[in-house]
Structures are given as C-alpha cells and as structure tokens.
Amino acid sequence: MSRRALVVAMVAIAAVAAVVFGIVGDGSDEDETVLPVSDGPSPTNPPLPPAPISPTGPVSEEVRAALDSLVSDPLGVRLTEFETLGASGDPRIAWQLVDHMRITIGFPGETFSSNAVADLLGLSRIEARLLRDPDADPDAVGLAWADWTDLLLAWDVPTTQDYVDDKRELLAQVDPGFAVFVTDDDALDWRRVTWGGVERDGIPTLVDPIVTAAEEAAWLPDDEMILGLVVDGEARAYPQRHLDVHEIAEDTLGDRRVHVTLCTLCGSAVAFDTTDVPGVGPLRLRTSGLLESSNKLMFDPETESLLRQFSGDAVTGELLDAGIELPILALTVTSRSDWREAHPDTTVLAEDPGTGRGYTPGVLEARDGDGPIFPVGDIDGRLPSNLDVLGVDGPEGPVAFEPEALDAVLADGPVLVAGIRIDAADGRPRFMTVDGDELTPLSTRWFAWAQRSPDTAIWPAEAAAS
C-alpha cells in the first residue's frame, strides 16, 4: 500500500471512530465530525554539536582588507586573501564566503571560499551535510554554497557588523539593480536571502493576459492543473504551465486589479488584491531575482520595495515603512475539469496569452523532487519536505492539511479540526471559524509552511507519525 493510500485509509478510520464514539462539533451542524491534529514539532534528527564560538565587535584590519577584495572583485581575489580569511578564527565571515560562493559557482573562487569556510569551522562540507542530515548521500555532488549555508543557518551563526554592506556589493556584481533592495531593514534576515539565478525582472510578469471562454480551451487537458480565482463572482483559470514560466500574472478580475503568483521553488500559490495600495494606488509586482529561504521575493518598481510572495508583506523600502500587507485572495489549485464543473462560466487564459511563445506542461516536476534546491536551514521532518499542503492560520494556531486526505473525508460531510470548520464548496475545501469567519488557505510545500509556522499542527495526525 502506498503512503498516500495509507494516509487516506487512516483518515477514514479516524472519521468512523469519531462517529462511533459520538464526538460531534460544538456548531449547529450535528453531522460535523471532530478530528484530531498532531502534537507540535519534535526533533527529527540527532542534535547538532554546539556551534563554533563567534567573537563580537569589528573584524581585524587584515580581515577587512581581504573582505573588501572579496566583495569588490569576486573573480580576482588572491589565494593569500582566502588563506587570511580561513585562518582568522572568526566564523562570522563564513557568511561573506558563502555569498561569494553563490556568485562564483564553477570558478576557482568557489573552491577557495569553500576551503576557507572548512578551515573556519573545522570540518569538511560533506561532514557539514551529514551533521544536518545523517541520512544524506555523502557521495551526492551538490553545491558547496548550499551545504555550508544550510549548516550556518541551522547553527544560527551571527554575522559581522558590516555583513549587509558586503552583501549589497556582492549582489551588485551580478546585477547593479540588486543594490537598491539590500537595506538594513529588520524585516529581512539577510542571511536567508540569496540570488535566485536570474537578474532583476528576469522572469517577466504576464500582464493583462488574453483570456477565452472555457469551451474554447480544448487545448487544455481536463487533468491539467490550474490556479483558479473568483473575484466578485467572476471566475478565471490560470494554467500552471503559464505560471511555471512567468510566476506572476497581473490581471483584472471582477473589476479588481489582482496578481496571481506562483513560487515554483516552494510550490506556494498566492493571489493578491493590488487594486488600491495606500500611498501607491494600483500596485505592480515583478520578480526581484532574490529569494528568502527558497521563496520568491517580489518587488514594486515604483517604490523599489521588496515583498514576500508567500504572504504579501513588504519587507524593505517605502512599502515596509507604510506597513503594507497585501490582501490575500482565496486561490484554488485543482484540475481544469474540477474547476470548470464548479464554475461553468469560468474564463481561462488563452493558449497564447499574448506573448507569442509556447508553454509546455510539467517542465519543472523533476527539478526539485528531492527537496528544496536553495538553502533553508533546518527542515521539519514530520512530513516529506516537498509534500503539497494547505496551510491555514486557525483560531487554535496554524494547521497543515494534506489535500487528498481532506478531500476523502469531506465526501462524508463537514469536519471540525482545531477550531477550523471545513466543508466542500465550489470544488474546493472551504475553511471557516466556528463563528463563520472565512479563513484563506495557502497552497504550498511542507518545508515552506513549516518554516513560516514552525509550531504548526498537522492533519491528519497519523500523517505526522508515518
């Protein structure tokens, strides 16, 4: 029996047991079944050894001079300067070295930086990988930058006082437009921010795409995944194949300006109402080229502010100063056929939405099947890291739901989970408080949700133990 089948079977058993023992909800619906959630997080790997002790205060003049060479001319650093950094005994400067590795992959400097970090921490990068995950493959090639960064994050190694300035200069070597993003704002932990491999605006936003009636979309198979959105009664399907390429679609729906976004690295699909942002008006969202813990950072070209794709909150610039958090709209990730059955009048993006290019489905399916491909530090091992979940902030705390298991149990009627009442509506689970306030789920991968909400519970409870 597959793990998925086992989970669904456990859900069915739990539901039957709840009915047999007369466990019913507190709401008015007598058929509402109360189902348990898992306990909070528990250690999943052996504890790490103590982190190396880091000094405080400024670095020495000799180290500062070597760092200046590192950030101003990443490909021209001399071997003696790497040796100076590796022999400094200051673990904090490992952060500048891993940032240097990230932008010099394939060049000799990558190896020199990795060797310097090994000297600073007193272990090889393969040992660093196995410290975090004893079950990891020591023979996997991997990237030195990722192995070291994951360990530094797990150890919570601090940075030097001038780390943010150094990071700004390093990133500007890749794209001068990155420099304006890197600030001393407290809303971002810059240790967790890395270059995503594209330049600023390097993934073009799909603006005002051409749409057609559903019956004209014969090119789209019934079982293909779409991102479905309803605004003021108007429904639209955004094929995932389009969002795999563009990651952001800027559109008008129900007389509202909206952005439908997909972080292809962590699977988070989120829609925002960007009609009237205080102090800005209609907002535009573009790809910054930077990531935070393997999640997309977007930017507004008007204010040069960065915003998190996962939550829509501004983390730098004028929008941070204004306390902007974009309103999140309920977005459904489902098949084209299920969406059309629930919304017969839906429109759908045209096969060519106005770009003149083709779109191939499933092009990213095998890219990160083994887990996040950018560093994230510790990963909660209660569920497989890349398992798709629905995350909900409920009245009793955050809960991660397994969508297939939820669909199976909702076939028998509404359920109550950790103060969240769930029923099926319009082809998707609908989440509410017991008082009837609607809750907006976030569709994402487990590793991303667990980092956002480390105290999250899991439903079904049996899944966390399997």
Side-chain angles (χ1 to χ4, degrees):
M1 179 181 290
S2 69
R3 181 181 184 279
R4 174 65 62 188
L6 180 60
V7 167
V8 174
M10 287 177 172
V11 171
I13 293 171
V16 171
V19 173
V20 169
F21 289 104
I23 306 174
V24 294
D26 296 328
S28 59
D29 191 335
E30 294 181 357
D31 296 327
E32 188 178 88
T33 304
V34 179
L35 298 177
V37 295
S38 70
D39 294 329
S42 58
T44 56
N45 291 319
L48 290 173
I53 297 174
S54 295
T56 58
V59 299
S60 69
E61 291 183 6
E62 184 182 25
V63 168
R64 184 62 259 171
L67 287 174
D68 287 342
S69 294
L70 188 83
V71 302
S72 63
D73 187 9
L75 298 181
V77 193
R78 296 169 298 182
L79 182 57
T80 55
E81 291 169 323
F82 287 108
E83 291 173 343
T84 295
L85 296 174
S88 68
D90 188 344
R92 298 176 300 169
I93 63 175
W95 285 111
Q96 280 94 332
L97 288 164
V98 296
D99 288 339
H100 176 264
M101 281 181 237
R102 173 67 187 104
I103 67 172
T104 58
I105 291 173
F107 291 91
E110 177 193 15
T111 300
F112 297 151
S113 272
S114 182
N115 290 341
V117 174
D119 291 338
L120 284 171
L121 303 184
L123 70 165
S124 72
R125 77 176 182 94
I126 301 305
E127 290 171 332
R129 180 188 302 171
L130 295 175
L131 275 182
R132 284 188 60 253
D133 183 3
D135 296 326
D137 181 359
D139 298 321
V141 176
L143 291 171
W145 146 77
D147 285 331
W148 289 124
T149 303
D150 274 328
L151 180 61
L152 293 173
L153 288 171
W155 260 339
D156 196 21
V157 172
T159 65
T160 59
Q161 295 172 348
D162 43 12
Y163 171 67
V164 174
D165 293 334
D166 288 341
K167 187 150 197 163
R168 181 186 304 110
E169 190 163 355
L170 270 173
L171 287 172
Q173 309 299 322
V174 178
D175 182 345
F178 286 156
V180 70
F181 296 146
V182 187
T183 70
D184 293 318
D185 292 320
D186 293 337
L188 272 181
D189 179 350
W190 283 101
R191 298 175 301 174
R192 292 188 168 273
V193 178
T194 191
W195 175 42
V198 298
E199 295 179 344
R200 169 187 164 117
D201 210 9
I203 300 176
T205 294
L206 182 58
V207 180
D208 295 325
I210 298 170
V211 300
T212 66
E215 56 269 21
E216 298 176 17
W219 58 272
L220 188 63
D222 282 346
D223 60 353
E224 188 162 322
M225 300 305 292
I226 60 94
L227 283 63
L229 182 63
V230 180
V231 179
D232 291 341
E234 185 178 357
R236 182 159 297 159
Y238 298 82
Q240 185 169 325
R241 66 168 76 182
H242 292 78
L243 271 298
D244 278 345
V245 172
H246 294 281
E247 299 193 357
I248 304 174
E250 180 182 319
D251 202 3
T252 299
L253 193 63
D255 293 326
R256 307 293 294 175
R257 202 62 177 162
V258 300
H259 282 78
V260 178
T261 70
L262 176 67
C263 175
T264 60
L265 292 164
C266 65
S268 56
V270 191
F272 303 103
D273 185 337
T274 52
T275 306
D276 188 17
V277 176
V280 179
L283 190 70
R284 294 180 294 157
L285 295 177
R286 300 293 182 263
T287 292
S288 72
L290 302 179
L291 304 169
E292 179 190 22
S293 295
S294 207
N295 178 248
K296 183 184 187 72
L297 286 170
M298 311 175 294
F299 81 100
D300 162 42
E302 183 70 25
T303 63
E304 302 282 16
S305 301
L306 290 176
L307 303 94
R308 290 188 174 103
Q309 183 270 343
F310 202 56
S311 54
D313 59 312
V315 290
T316 69
E318 294 178 27
L319 297 186
L320 171 64
D321 295 338
I324 296 302
E325 293 186 25
L326 300 179
I328 295 177
L329 303 170
L331 189 66
T332 301
V333 180
T334 186
S335 68
R336 182 242 189 181
S337 59
D338 285 351
W339 180 255
R340 187 176 179 187
E341 181 179 353
H343 302 281
D345 295 329
T346 188
T347 53
V348 61
L349 266 58
E351 185 173 14
D352 176 0
T355 62
R357 59 156 297 162
Y359 297 85
T360 303
V363 293
L364 302 177
E365 287 179 357
R367 182 188 61 183
D368 48 4
D370 294 331
I373 60 176
F374 283 83
V376 297
D378 277 336
I379 294 179
D380 189 323
R382 289 180 291 164
L383 292 174
S385 63
N386 269 15
L387 183 70
D388 292 326
V389 301
L390 288 174
V392 180
D393 289 315
E396 297 177 15
V399 183
F401 294 87
E402 291 205 33
E404 290 185 24
L406 192 57
D407 289 343
V409 76
L410 286 178
D412 295 325
V415 297
L416 187 68
V417 177
I420 304 170
R421 188 182 187 279
I422 313 159
D423 61 16
D426 296 331
R428 64 180 177 90
R430 181 174 59 181
F431 300 84
M432 296 173 290
T433 67
V434 292
D435 295 326
D437 296 326
E438 190 147 359
L439 301 170
T440 302
L442 292 176
S443 176
T444 187
R445 295 196 179 114
W446 164 246
F447 81 83
W449 177 256
Q451 285 196 101
R452 173 196 180 273
S453 306
D455 58 341
T456 186
I458 295 172
W459 185 90
E462 295 84 356
S466 58

